[in-house]
């Protein structure tokens, strides 16, 4: 150990000494005073100094240091170490990972060892939570990192040596240091941010040695506070960096995902910020004023898919955010945004296909910025469909959960009504004033019944609840709020007073208080309006902080508030080229504290705060500018209460509702249309069988959910429409249709899924869906693809069909004599006749086809059982015959006879009526269009028309 610490020893000697230490520790079974031994080894390695000689030899020394730490600190047999030993090992590894000329191999090894040290600290169960007297504020590392020319990890070594304790202090120090490395406000390099994220991820995923699935971090109140405050806000800010390397963004999303797991039901502020401010920027492709890179956008959308695949998380988020009257909707707008991205992607994809990539100048840009992200949005939506179906079909509702959901949806209904009033107020724009606001709130019945009767001179009673409405309604235009607050009329002045009095500025410095105030509305541009608003703020601030600030009175507070607004404009307006310096700011405010000067520390704090972070409305700043004030407000609104100097979660309400109380039905209403659009797109352009199957599962999930929830809207019909389009039976010409269907696995899978939906979810299918399915069935018959049992069943099932007068249904005169029939042979004639088909005579008067108006012409007795067949039934070679057989087999498996005949008898009334109407519609369509056979698809001399009317109809 003396050699290791000797600056006179060269690299070769020091490396040999380090290797000897590893060998000794590895060969001895039991070591007396093991704590002291390991402590001495780590101390020596921490203070290792040697004479540089050869680059390779020096590199070997540094690698040996990492090896020694691995043996002593992070091996499975390592003892429980004192705090200063763990932190010395951590500091050593961090120093090695930041050496500028170190090889990638050394940096990687040192970084891995950093993570191992953190994991060892998390796993250790014998460490006390709070037996260290050293307080660790967040400013501890931030101040040192800003003041140092190079990034170093420093800790209170002397105090820790005096205590000689085994506490959770090292873990807290390492986590807080890592959050500082991650925070973009520290302006460190991407590589250091990556190191910090790896440390955080390791701590979050490491479990106790004797526990299953439980994080050690939640048990320590101070670490819990770090997770919810410093770590969460640092990682969220990183996600707002549009041009950050994609590997850093991916690691940040991994940390967020693990944070949500560790925080559990208390992760609402984090989830709310992700849904409101992070993921929408990745869907749109812009973060703040900067475009998100293609690689980062891909990473973000994949992370969104991962989050949406977590069972119940999104529905519980909907309950806690979208149904909260004072929170801005998050889940609903995200669903709408994803749906639009998918639709835009499909539109642009179709345009590229139709025009050809070479014909579009910006084809690559369109693909990277619209089409590819649209696929990822579709993947995220399809990730949601699987677990949503599973939860809905379980039917887990209880009396408690039903009551909770009813209460929650009542809150959502009131919120939506309030949003209608807000929309009307927003339309007022610059014409808004206090009186108009009261009139609109009364018109939309926002006030309770007692206040609704208030008229005339008693209108002032409405001002306090109206001001509260302005404070808590998230959908109000903040510019309109500012306009009303600045108006000179009496009602607007009292509105301003009540609005300002709703803020609590106690114990806040003047800059923080002004941030909180101005982030809630847009300050109007007129000087007189600003003057009134600043006076109101100054009076409220001094009322609550008169004995806690060096400001002499409210007039001084007004002057300082105005100075802060001017400084904010000067520092962050790009049109101002020459920025105000600290000296200028101090000089401008000299003698302003009631003829006295402000302290330099007071003005310095104001200047640094505004210079570092612009005062913005909360909905205008990007997530990279997320400030501590806004985050604290989110924590407080979620119930994260403060008790003394530390924060406590014991009395805080659970942020997210229990899984069994999640409103899955309402979430289905929001997402079924985007999911169907996503499945339609993936099915249309998917390149492999897995993608096709995933799309079909999306359709099936929507249909099953709709059936389980007893929904009678368009969900199932939209699935039927998409699948009938995908199978291509009714949209392509008859010539070659059977062959195309037989070789197209996508089309066959689509028809199988279509049949499954109609079979299993028939009670939810309406007339449009039945019409599309019947169109597919008649086209299959026209193509001769119905199997023998299905055709026989549909052509002769049940008693004789009669009309309302009890007369047999008349035979249609419009059909060719070859249809309906079952093709049993296709034969060449002697060259004079193209193709012949053997007819199997049937009586359609009692068949399913009779309902469609399909009759059968009288076939004259003849020894020749052949009639000419249409050319689209011709199979010109064995490959086409094989394709037709494959098509027939796939159709046969669907058992259309059971769906259309047998099982239709048990349909519920509404579905049965829709089915009957669809049959009528389909019959009329067939009569108009000659059984779906277009004129160009048949031979004119073989139409067998009976009268002029028929000629007119088919023409």
């Amino acid at each position: 150990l003396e050699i290791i610490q000797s600056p006179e020893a060269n690299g070769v000697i020091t490396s040999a000494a380090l290797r000897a230490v590893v060998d000794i520790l590895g060969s001895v079974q039991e070591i007396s005073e093991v704590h002291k031994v390991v402590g001495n080894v780590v101390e020596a390695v921490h203070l290792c100094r040697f004479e540089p000689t050869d680059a390779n030899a020096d590199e070997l020394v540094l690698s040996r240091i990492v090896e020694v730490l691995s043996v002593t600190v992070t091996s499975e047999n390592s003892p429980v170490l004192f705090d200063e030993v763990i932190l010395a090992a951590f500091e050593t590894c961090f120093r090695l990972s930041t050496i500028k000329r170190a090889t990638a191999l050394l940096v990687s090894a040192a970084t891995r060892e950093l993570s191992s040290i953190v994991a060892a600290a998390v796993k250790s169960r014998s460490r006390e939570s709070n037996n260290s007297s050293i307080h660790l504020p967040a400013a501890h590392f931030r101040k040192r990192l800003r003041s140092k020319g190079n990034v170093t990890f420093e800790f209170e070594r002397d105090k820790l040596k005096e205590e000689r304790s085994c506490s959770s202090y090292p873990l807290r120090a390492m986590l807080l240091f890592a959050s500082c490395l991650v925070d973009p406000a520290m302006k460190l390099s991407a590589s250091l941010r990556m190191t910090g994220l790896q440390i955080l991820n390791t701590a979050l995923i490491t479990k106790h040695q004797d526990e299953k699935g439980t994080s050690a971090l939640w048990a320590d109140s101070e670490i819990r506070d770090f997770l919810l405050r410093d770590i969460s806000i640092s990682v969220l800010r990183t996600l707002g960096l549009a041009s950050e390397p994609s590997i850093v963004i991916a690691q940040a999303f991994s940390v967020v995902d693990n944070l949500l797991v560790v925080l559990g039901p208390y992760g609402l502020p984090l989830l709310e910020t992700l849904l409101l401010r992070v993921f929408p920027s990745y869907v749109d492709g812009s973060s703040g004023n900067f475009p998100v890179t293609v690689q980062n956008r891909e990473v973000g959308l994949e992370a969104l898919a991962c989050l949406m695949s977590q069972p119940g998380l999104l529905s519980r988020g909907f309950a806690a955010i979208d149904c909260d009257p004072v929170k801005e909707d998050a889940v609903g707008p995200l669903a709408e945004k994803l749906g639009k991205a998918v639709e835009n992607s499909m539109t642009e994809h179709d345009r590229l296909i139709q025009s050809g990539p070479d014909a579009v100048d910006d084809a690559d840009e369109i693909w990277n910025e619209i089409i590819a992200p649209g696929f990822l949005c579709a993947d995220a939506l399809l990730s949601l469909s699987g677990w949503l179906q599973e939860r809905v079909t379980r039917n887990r509702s209880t009396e408690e959960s039903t009551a909770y959901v009813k209460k929650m949806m009542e809150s959502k209904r009131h919120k939506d009504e309030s949003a209608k009033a807000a929309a009307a107020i927003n339309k007022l724009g610059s014409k808004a004033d206090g009186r108009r606001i009261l009139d609109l709130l009364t018109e939309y019945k926002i006030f309770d019944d007692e206040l609704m009767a208030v008229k005339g001179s008693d209108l002032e009673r409405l001002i306090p609840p109206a001001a509260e409405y302005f404070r808590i309604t998230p959908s109000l235009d903040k510019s309109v709020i500012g306009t009303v607050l600045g108006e000179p009329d009496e009602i607007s002045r009292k509105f301003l007073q009540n609005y300002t009095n709703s803020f609590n500025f106690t114990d806040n410095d003047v800059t923080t208080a002004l941030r909180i105030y101005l982030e809630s509305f847009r300050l109007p541009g007129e000087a007189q309006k600003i003057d009134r608003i600043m006076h109101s703020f100054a009076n409220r601030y001094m009322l609550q902080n008169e004995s806690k600030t060096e400001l002499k009175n409210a007039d001084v507070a007004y002057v300082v508030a105005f100075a802060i607004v001017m400084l904010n404009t000067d520092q962050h307006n790009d049109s101002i080229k020459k920025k105000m310096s600290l000296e200028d700011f101090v000089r401008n405010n000299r003698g302003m504290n009631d003829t006295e000067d402000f302290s330099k520390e007071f003005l310095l704090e104001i200047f640094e705060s505004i210079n570092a972070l612009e005062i913005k409305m909360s909905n205008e700043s990007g997530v990279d500018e997320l400030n501590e004030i806004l985050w604290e407000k989110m924590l407080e609104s979620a119930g994260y209460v403060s008790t003394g100097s530390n924060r406590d979660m014991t009395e805080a309400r659970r942020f997210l509702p229990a899984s069994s109380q999640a409103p899955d039905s309402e979430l289905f209403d929001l997402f079924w249309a985007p999911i169907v659009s996503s499945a339609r797109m993936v099915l249309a352009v998917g390149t492999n069988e897995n993608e096709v199957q995933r799309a079909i599962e999306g359709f099936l999930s929507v249909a099953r959910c709709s059936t389980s929830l007893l929904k009678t809207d368009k969900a199932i019909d939209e699935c039927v429409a998409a699948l009938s389009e995908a199978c291509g039976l009714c949209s392509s010409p008859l010539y070659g249709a059977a062959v195309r269907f037989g070789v197209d696995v996508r089309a066959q899978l689509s028809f199988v899924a279509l049949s499954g939906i109609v079979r299993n979810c028939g009670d939810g299918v309406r007339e449009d869906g039945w019409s599309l399915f019947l169109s597919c069935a008649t086209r299959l018959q026209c193509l001769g693809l119905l199997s023998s049992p299905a055709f026989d069943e549909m052509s002769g099932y049940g008693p004789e069909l009669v009309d309302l007068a009890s007369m047999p249904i008349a035979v249609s005169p419009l059909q060719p004599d070859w249809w309906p029939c079952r093709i049993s042979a296709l034969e060449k004639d002697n060259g004079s006749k193209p193709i012949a088909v053997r007819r199997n005579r049937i009586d359609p008067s009692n068949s399913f086809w009779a309902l469609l108006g399909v009759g059968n012409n009288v076939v004259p007795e003849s020894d020749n059982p052949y009639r000419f067949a249409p050319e689209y039934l011709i199979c010109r070679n064995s490959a086409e015959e094989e394709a037709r057989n494959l098509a027939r087999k796939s159709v046969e498996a669907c058992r259309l006879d059971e769906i259309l005949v047998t099982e239709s008898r048990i349909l519920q009334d509404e579905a049965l009526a829709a089915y009957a109407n669809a049959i009528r519609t389909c019959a009329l369509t067939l009569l108009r269009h000659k059984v779906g056979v277009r004129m160009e698809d048949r031979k004119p001399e073989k139409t067998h028309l009976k009268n002029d009317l028929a000629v007119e109809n088919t023409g």
Side-chain angles (χ1 to χ4, degrees):
L1 299 184
E2 290 179 359
I3 294 174
I4 291 172
Q5 298 175 76
S6 172
E8 299 176 355
N10 60 29
V12 176
I13 296 175
T14 304
S15 177
L18 289 167
R19 179 63 190 176
V21 169
V22 173
D23 291 341
I24 291 172
L25 293 175
S27 61
V28 178
Q29 297 296 324
E30 294 184 3
I31 302 177
S32 60
E33 298 185 79
V34 63
H35 290 84
K36 183 177 181 181
V37 172
V38 172
N40 290 338
V41 171
V42 173
E43 182 73 14
V45 170
H46 178 66
L47 300 174
C48 177
R49 303 290 184 272
F50 61 93
E51 183 69 27
T53 52
D54 176 71
N56 293 331
D58 297 346
E59 182 86 7
L60 181 60
V61 173
L62 301 179
S63 300
R64 294 286 191 210
I65 290 176
V66 176
E67 187 179 359
V68 170
L69 293 175
S70 176
V71 171
T72 54
V73 179
T74 61
S75 69
E76 294 183 358
N77 299 322
S78 297
V80 177
L81 303 175
F82 291 121
D83 293 349
E84 73 273 11
V85 176
I86 293 178
L87 291 177
F90 184 85
E91 181 182 351
T92 302
C93 281
F94 181 76
R95 189 171 66 241
L96 294 177
S97 68
T98 57
I99 295 176
K100 292 183 179 179
R101 292 186 295 274
T103 63
L105 186 63
L106 174 62
V107 172
S108 176
T111 304
R112 282 198 306 271
E113 188 60 23
L114 272 177
S115 298
S116 299
I117 293 170
V118 173
V122 173
K123 288 180 179 179
S124 178
R125 288 302 308 273
S126 59
R127 311 193 73 82
E128 297 290 338
S129 296
N130 297 305
N131 67 348
S132 176
S133 62
I134 303 176
H135 183 55
L136 194 66
H140 172 85
F141 289 116
R142 295 180 186 274
K143 185 175 181 180
R144 295 192 181 194
L145 286 173
R146 286 195 177 105
S147 63
K148 298 290 183 179
N150 57 338
V151 181
T152 57
F153 173 80
E154 299 178 3
F155 60 95
E156 306 291 344
R157 181 177 304 159
D158 294 337
K159 291 183 180 180
L160 288 174
K161 282 186 176 181
E162 292 176 5
E163 290 189 352
R164 303 294 286 177
S165 61
C166 296
S167 71
S168 61
Y169 176 85
L171 181 58
R172 286 180 269 136
M174 291 184 288
L175 289 177
L176 187 55
F177 179 70
S179 73
C180 292
L181 293 179
V182 172
D183 193 352
M186 304 305 301
K187 295 179 169 54
L188 301 177
S189 65
S191 61
L192 286 172
R193 256 193 298 279
M194 186 66 182
T195 300
L197 290 168
Q198 289 174 330
I199 293 171
L200 294 177
N201 234 351
T202 299
L204 291 168
I205 64 177
T206 302
K207 313 298 180 186
H208 285 319
Q209 291 177 340
D210 57 347
E211 288 186 357
K212 297 180 180 180
T214 303
S215 173
L217 305 182
W218 194 249
D220 188 293
S221 60
E222 194 167 354
I223 292 178
R224 187 170 63 231
D225 187 67
F226 290 163
L227 293 178
L228 278 167
R229 297 176 69 245
D230 299 277
I231 293 175
S232 292
I233 198 170
S234 295
V235 178
L236 287 170
R237 284 173 177 169
T238 299
L239 293 176
L241 299 177
S243 58
E244 193 77 352
S246 57
I247 189 174
V248 175
I249 297 297
Q251 190 74 6
F253 272 117
S254 178
V255 171
V256 164
D257 188 50
N258 290 319
L259 261 177
L260 286 172
V261 174
V262 172
L263 295 176
Y266 304 105
L268 175 60
L270 183 60
L271 179 62
E272 182 180 354
T273 307
L274 287 171
L275 297 177
L276 269 176
R277 308 182 69 174
V278 175
F279 286 125
S281 67
Y282 284 88
V283 176
D284 292 336
S286 61
S287 178
N289 297 323
F290 303 98
V292 179
T293 64
V294 173
Q295 294 82 0
N296 286 352
R297 196 175 180 190
E298 180 180 348
V299 169
L301 293 176
E302 288 177 350
L304 175 58
C306 180
L307 181 138
M308 292 179 69
S309 66
Q310 297 183 26
L313 181 62
L314 214 57
S315 55
R316 288 181 285 137
F318 173 79
I321 302 170
D322 289 45
C323 297
D324 191 328
V326 301
K327 292 185 182 295
E328 184 179 353
D329 284 355
V331 178
L334 180 63
E336 183 179 354
K337 195 177 287 288
L338 287 170
K340 287 183 178 179
V342 171
E343 290 175 1
N344 292 339
S345 175
M346 193 63 183
T347 300
E348 291 299 324
H349 181 272
D350 292 343
R351 184 168 73 89
L352 283 183
I353 295 298
Q354 293 171 4
S355 304
D358 296 335
V360 181
D361 295 335
D362 53 350
D364 291 340
E365 184 177 348
I366 291 175
W367 180 268
N368 291 329
E369 296 183 4
I370 300 178
I371 299 176
F375 277 105
L376 294 172
C377 291
D379 183 61
L381 288 164
L382 292 176
S383 299
L384 169 70
S385 64
W387 66 258
L388 185 59
Q389 174 214 328
E390 188 176 338
R391 283 171 56 87
V392 166
T393 53
R394 278 190 203 155
N395 192 19
R396 302 160 291 97
S397 60
T398 62
E399 183 177 350
E400 178 187 1
S401 65
T402 301
Y404 176 86
V405 171
K406 285 183 178 179
K407 181 179 178 181
M408 177 201 63
M409 293 314 301
E410 182 67 16
S411 174
K412 176 63 175 171
R413 188 184 66 80
H414 286 302
K415 183 178 182 179
D416 292 340
E417 292 296 324
S418 176
K420 293 178 182 178
I425 292 173
N426 293 340
K427 290 181 180 179
L428 293 176
S430 60
K431 297 179 181 179
D433 58 32
R435 181 55 185 264
R436 287 189 175 96
I437 297 301
L438 295 182
D439 291 342
L440 280 174
L441 293 180
T442 303
E443 178 184 346
Y444 282 90
K445 301 180 181 180
I446 299 301
F447 304 118
D448 57 35
D449 295 338
E450 179 183 354
L451 293 176
M452 288 298 296
V454 170
K455 295 181 181 179
S457 60
D458 290 338
L459 280 177
E460 291 187 3
R461 292 176 56 193
L462 301 178
I463 295 177
E468 182 184 2
Y469 175 84
F470 263 42
R471 279 279 283 138
I472 67 173
T473 305
S475 54
L476 274 174
D477 187 334
K478 295 185 183 295
S479 298
V480 174
I481 298 177
T483 298
V484 175
L485 297 180
E487 288 297 310
D489 63 276
E490 188 63 24
I491 292 181
S492 296
R493 286 176 179 272
K494 292 181 178 179
F495 210 102
L496 170 63
Q497 180 182 351
N498 281 272
Y499 183 85
T500 306
N501 288 344
S502 66
F503 288 86
N504 182 10
F505 298 133
T506 305
D507 295 329
N508 286 315
D509 60 76
V510 66
T511 310
T512 300
L514 192 59
R515 281 189 190 277
I516 295 172
Y517 189 59
L518 294 182
E519 283 180 348
S520 66
F521 63 92
R522 181 184 291 280
L523 201 62
E526 296 88 337
Q528 291 180 340
K529 293 184 177 182
I530 297 176
D531 183 79
R532 282 189 284 271
I533 293 173
M534 290 296 103
H535 268 298
S536 180
F537 165 79
N539 291 331
R540 179 65 174 173
Y541 181 77
M542 290 306 297
L543 180 66
Q544 295 179 316
N545 295 281
E546 187 173 5
S547 61
K548 305 172 185 177
T549 177
E550 65 178 77
L551 303 176
K552 297 288 186 178
N553 51 52
D555 290 336
V556 175
Y558 162 80
V559 171
V560 172
F562 234 119
I564 293 174
V565 171
M566 294 175 62
L567 176 66
N568 187 70
T569 303
D570 175 88
Q571 296 295 300
H572 300 284
N573 192 325
D574 294 336
S575 63
I576 300 176
K577 302 302 179 185
K578 186 178 180 181
K579 303 295 184 183
M580 189 186 305
S581 64
L582 174 61
E583 291 73 19
D584 296 332
F585 183 66
V586 173
R587 183 171 56 254
N588 293 343
N589 290 280
R590 190 169 293 156
M592 291 295 182
N593 193 10
D594 199 16
T595 72
E596 297 180 6
D597 290 343
F598 297 107
S599 67
K600 188 171 182 180
E601 292 76 14
F602 175 79
L603 295 177
L604 175 63
E605 184 179 354
I606 292 176
F607 186 87
E608 287 184 344
S609 175
I610 298 300
N611 179 263
L613 190 62
E614 180 183 3
I615 296 178
K616 282 185 178 181
M617 292 186 301
S618 57
N619 61 346
E620 284 190 345
S621 57
V623 71
D624 58 312
E625 300 173 319
L626 183 65
N627 61 66
E628 288 83 357
I629 298 169
L630 177 61
W631 189 249
E632 286 294 331
K633 287 172 61 180
M634 293 180 67
L635 292 177
E636 290 174 5
S637 69
Y640 189 37
V641 295
S642 176
T643 55
S645 59
N646 292 324
R647 299 195 172 264
D648 186 20
M649 291 297 298
T650 55
E651 297 184 4
R653 63 179 175 86
R654 295 176 71 86
F655 297 164
L656 291 173
S659 177
S660 61
Q661 297 174 331
D664 298 322
S665 176
E666 287 69 28
L667 195 72
F668 174 79
D669 290 338
L670 287 175
F671 277 96
W672 74 257
I675 290 174
V676 169
S677 297
S678 301
R680 186 193 297 265
M681 183 181 74
V682 174
L683 184 59
V685 297
T687 57
N688 58 61
E689 187 176 345
N690 290 334
E691 291 177 348
V692 172
Q693 191 61 45
R694 183 172 171 79
I696 288 176
E697 286 297 330
F699 288 122
L700 296 175
S701 296
V702 169
R704 290 164 184 160
C705 284
S706 184
T707 302
S708 298
L709 296 170
L710 303 178
K711 301 286 184 180
T712 57
D713 51 22
K714 298 181 179 179
I716 297 181
D717 276 10
E718 287 294 324
C719 294
V720 171
L723 289 168
S724 64
E725 178 186 357
C727 67
L729 288 170
C730 299
S731 58
S732 60
L734 284 171
Y735 284 105
V739 174
R740 287 192 298 272
F741 184 74
V743 298
D744 190 346
V745 176
R746 189 195 315 264
Q748 295 174 38
L749 290 175
S750 299
F751 186 74
V752 171
L754 172 62
S755 303
I757 288 177
V758 175
R759 176 191 295 272
N760 299 314
C761 310
D763 287 328
V765 181
R766 293 298 171 257
E767 184 175 344
D768 290 344
W770 280 114
S771 296
L772 289 168
F773 186 67
L774 286 170
S775 297
C776 292
T778 53
R779 179 56 68 98
L780 288 172
Q781 165 60 9
C782 196
L783 294 172
L785 295 181
L786 286 184
S787 62
S788 297
F791 181 76
D792 291 341
E793 189 77 7
M794 296 168 69
S795 299
Y797 185 88
E800 182 179 358
L801 297 170
V802 296
D803 60 17
L804 294 178
S806 299
M807 299 297 293
I809 292 179
V811 175
S812 170
L814 303 181
Q815 311 311 322
D817 63 358
W818 48 265
W819 199 89
C821 65
R822 181 169 67 250
I823 302 170
S824 57
L826 290 175
E827 300 180 6
K828 287 282 186 182
D829 201 8
N830 54 14
S832 60
K833 297 178 181 179
I835 291 294
V837 57
R838 183 183 300 276
R839 279 186 56 78
N840 292 305
R841 297 187 58 182
I842 61 172
D843 180 8
S845 62
N846 67 341
S847 69
F848 170 81
W849 301 109
L851 293 176
L852 300 177
V854 177
N856 186 21
N857 297 318
V858 177
V859 180
E861 293 297 331
S862 172
D863 294 334
N864 183 6
Y866 296 96
R867 292 291 186 271
F868 292 111
E871 291 187 359
Y872 65 80
L873 293 177
I874 300 172
C875 290
R876 294 173 175 80
N877 52 54
S878 59
E880 291 188 359
E881 183 68 29
E882 183 179 356
R884 176 182 286 275
N885 290 333
L886 289 174
R888 188 178 291 111
K889 287 181 180 179
S890 66
V891 174
E892 181 179 358
C894 298
R895 295 296 299 173
L896 299 189
D897 53 309
E898 294 180 359
I899 298 173
L900 294 173
V901 181
T902 311
E903 296 177 0
S904 66
R905 297 188 300 171
I906 59 174
L907 290 174
Q908 294 183 4
D909 292 350
E910 191 175 355
L912 188 58
Y915 181 34
N917 288 333
I919 291 176
R920 179 191 61 189
T921 302
C922 188
L924 294 174
T925 302
L926 289 169
L927 292 177
R928 291 193 193 98
H929 298 287
K930 290 300 292 180
V931 205
V933 183
R934 297 197 297 264
M935 294 301 294
E936 63 267 27
D937 291 334
R938 30 182 313 132
K939 293 207 172 283
E941 67 273 18
K942 289 296 179 183
T943 55
H944 296 281
L945 302 177
K946 296 296 183 180
N947 51 44
D948 294 336
L949 177 61
V951 175
E952 181 181 349
N953 287 339
T954 53

